[in-house]
Amino acid sequence: MSERDSERSISQTVRAQLALRDMILSGQLRPGERISELQAVEITSVSRTPVRLALVRLEDEGLLQAIPSGGFMVKAFTERDILDSIELRGTLEGLAARFAAERGASARSLEPLKECLADLDQLVRQDPVSVEAFSAYVTMNARFHALLTELSASPPLIRQIDRVSALPFASPSGFVMAQSALPEAHQILLIGQDHHRIVVDAIENREGGRAEAIMREHARLAARNLRLALRNRTHLDLLPALALLQSPAQ
Amino acid sequence: MSERDSERSISQTVRAQLALRDMILSGQLRPGERISELQAVEITSVSRTPVRLALVRLEDEGLLQAIPSGGFMVKAFTERDILDSIELRGTLEGLAARFAAERGASARSLEPLKECLADLDQLVRQDPVSVEAFSAYVTMNARFHALLTELSASPPLIRQIDRVSALPFASPSGFVMAQSALPEAHQILLIGQDHHRIVVDAIENREGGRAEAIMREHARLAARNLRLALRNRTHLDLLPALALLQSPAQ
DNA sequence: ATAGCAGCTTATGTATACATCTTGAATTCA
DNA sequence: TGAATTCAAGATGTATACATAAGCTGCTAT
């Protein structure tokens, strides 16, 4: 299949990076655990050179932490770290929205965002929302946030947002699936979608302050989802990202 | 001397990273220029393995850009990129100040910041400000910003601020030296120091919004310095960071 | 019994040889 | 003359061997 072709074509470095990332996010490698190069070599079946590069990449992705004396360990996050990362993303996306508004995003460039908004509207309209719709929402929501970020037309800002969102629990869709298990599911989805509507409106009307504020608040929905999910403790399996959380949870 | 000892003790990777960074920031490697591993090997006199690691590190530092087909080139920045990076830093430092205020930084933890503030006051008091005082200001100012960042007590945020500030033209002291060549020098210094005073006051009084706003505005002083320096075109040599600027300047 | 030291095991840091792919230049054909 | 193709030179990707440093275990001495 073409899958095998693509697997063959990608570099060993990337292959190792993917394999190690999966093991970290799935909890097979636990927070605080040291991960030696040879161990990583055994896991990934590639030699030390690409393994080492993969480890360095995962370090600046934020999944690993360098040990002063050499080597790496799986990074551990507190609930506070996660909440701060979400607030951080909200702040950066707020800045992106403000830039888009102040710099006068053209009607043409707003088009894809509006289409995405309409697609999301379709998904949100159902009640109750099917699991498939939730899954589709996650994809479309990620697209919405990506489009919004690009609308800032600021490479340095886009770069930073991408880096923050690389942490799975800080990404825009990190906790959407958690909602599906909550009774407040549909309500929260509607509120989030209203935020989307508002930010587009604000950008269109050049209301920079409003656009920034609503994106900050929007990120706090994710924080709310996280807290609800942790308190209810239902379907935590929907959130592999929480494998990185220190002791208390899981 | 101990210098030779320390030079011997640091790793080849770090040595290569420092050497290459110097060459980039000093303009010996020009923006857009491809930098091959062998070339880097010749420059740094270390083998390809540590050179490669150094290149990867410089990439996520933001000084290099990966070429899709492999290898790296020196990243080029527009004036807009630089201004955006400064605004970005201001936004993040604003968030840090707000966190410090909202979370109630203890009187004890505020102490070092206040001492630093007093030291800066001493330096600013002279008129005209000597070159040595400017240089001391740069150091002390960097310390002030570092202390403020740490006061947020948020590892994820601290990490992001450090990453943004790694770009020399986005760092808190990036354009202070440019002032020394400007007629408005002392005035700008006084204004900046007043910002410092205000943010400490705001944090002490738990005024999160005020603390955030003043840090955002504070960063815009750097943007002002940049614009003035570029327009006047005097003493651009004081700003090695501008070696990364695309064509028009320099 | 505990603390400290010695030696060994294993980790990471580095260099280099080999394989593969990209790129540029030259030549040939239309 | 221009464009396309092929070949060569050089680049990056990968593996592995070697050097050095860290950490651990076990033994000895107090």
Side-chain angles (χ1 to χ4, degrees), chain A residues 17 29 38 73 107 128 134 174 184-185 206-207 220-222 237 240:
Chain A
Q17 192 176 351
L29 297 168
L38 271 80
M73 54 183 270
F134 251 108
E184 306 91 333
R206 310 280 176 260
E207 301 168 292
R220 295 195 182 110
L221 268 186
D237 54 306

Side-chain angles (χ1 to χ4, degrees), chain A residues 72-104:
Chain A
F72 299 92
M73 54 183 270
V74 179
K75 203 156 169 180
F77 293 89
T78 64
E79 186 182 338
R80 164 51 63 84
D81 287 337
I82 296 180
L83 291 172
D84 281 3
S85 297
I86 292 170
E87 181 79 11
L88 183 55
R89 170 175 59 83
T91 301
L92 293 177
E93 287 186 330
L95 182 59
R98 178 160 71 82
F99 276 175
E102 291 176 349
R103 293 171 183 183

Side-chain angles (χ1 to χ4, degrees), chain B residues 77-93:
Chain B
F77 294 87
T78 64
E79 186 181 339
R80 165 51 63 83
D81 288 337
I82 296 179
L83 291 172
D84 281 4
S85 297
I86 292 171
E87 180 79 12
L88 182 55
R89 170 175 61 82
T91 301
L92 293 177
E93 287 187 331

Side-chain angles (χ1 to χ4, degrees), chain B residues 1-12 14-15 18:
Chain B
M1 296 303 170
S2 68
E3 191 183 86
R4 189 175 296 168
D5 287 340
S6 67
E7 272 185 16
R8 214 202 313 274
S9 69
I10 64 174
S11 69
Q12 301 292 72
V14 172
R15 196 174 315 193
L18 292 174

